[in-house]
Amino acid sequence: MLSGSSKSTRHAPAGELAVRTERRTQLLDVTAGVAKMVRDSGVLSGVCYVYVPHTTAGVIINENDDPDVAADIESALERIVPRSANYRHAEGNADSHIKTALVGASATIFISNGQLELGRWQGIFFCEFDGPRSRRLRVKILPD
């Protein structure tokens, strides 16, 4: 339960994580950065929203213990939506837009005892589909 006297829980902190990807398709574990923002906010109980304001990048929650899982997801998305196909979008990155539509641009994580309520093996991944690039990951933390 939140204490009503805690000044740090009365506002809705928002911020950004700067993300730099190194490959065209890359799942980048951003869990530590988001967790730090939650700790720094002082919110003990609430919700953390993570949003990617780009049309060729997204965010997912999945296993972050074994890096092969992220590599498998990257490979599977490439097989499902290959870079070269009969796309009408003229910029050459139609596959990136489609992959983003499949994974989504936001995630919601509960906060309990000042920490993200992720499952034992879960992590937050920024999903790059049109890199390498410098990107932004928006984070908004709302107290209960």
Side-chain angles (χ1 to χ4, degrees), residues 40-56:
D40 291 350
S41 76
V43 171
L44 299 177
S45 179
V47 177
C48 176
Y49 295 103
V50 182
Y51 171 70
V52 177
H54 305 287
T55 61
T56 57

Side-chain angles (χ1 to χ4, degrees), residues 1-140:
M1 192 60 68
L2 283 176
S3 167
S5 63
S6 175
K7 187 183 266 185
S8 63
T9 61
R10 291 187 181 164
H11 65 288
E16 289 186 349
L17 284 178
V19 178
R20 176 72 189 154
T21 58
E22 299 172 353
R23 302 187 309 272
R24 184 165 198 279
T25 298
Q26 181 178 2
L27 270 65
L28 187 63
D29 187 346
V30 295
T31 310
V34 176
K36 181 179 183 329
M37 292 177 80
V38 169
R39 282 191 308 276
D40 291 350
S41 76
V43 171
L44 299 177
S45 179
V47 177
C48 176
Y49 295 103
V50 182
Y51 171 70
V52 177
H54 305 287
T55 61
T56 57
V59 64
I60 62 170
I61 295 173
N62 213 295
E63 181 181 328
N64 71 345
D65 185 60
D66 180 354
D68 286 339
V69 174
D72 289 343
I73 292 170
E74 291 174 13
S75 295
L77 286 169
E78 183 58 33
R79 284 190 308 276
I80 294 166
V81 186
R83 184 172 185 179
S84 298
N86 192 22
Y87 302 120
R88 294 170 49 160
H89 183 54
E91 291 181 26
N93 63 353
D95 65 308
S96 303
H97 291 287
I98 295 166
K99 290 169 186 167
T100 299
L102 291 173
V103 303
S106 65
T108 304
I109 307 104
F110 295 152
I111 300 167
S112 181
N113 297 317
Q115 297 184 342
L116 294 168
E117 272 193 35
L118 291 168
R120 180 177 181 178
W121 307 112
Q122 288 183 320
I124 305 164
F125 289 89
F126 180 87
C127 303
E128 175 66 74
F129 300 119
D130 197 21
R133 290 185 185 228
S134 292
R135 302 283 201 163
R136 298 179 301 134
L137 180 68
R138 302 274 301 141
V139 178
K140 186 161 191 143

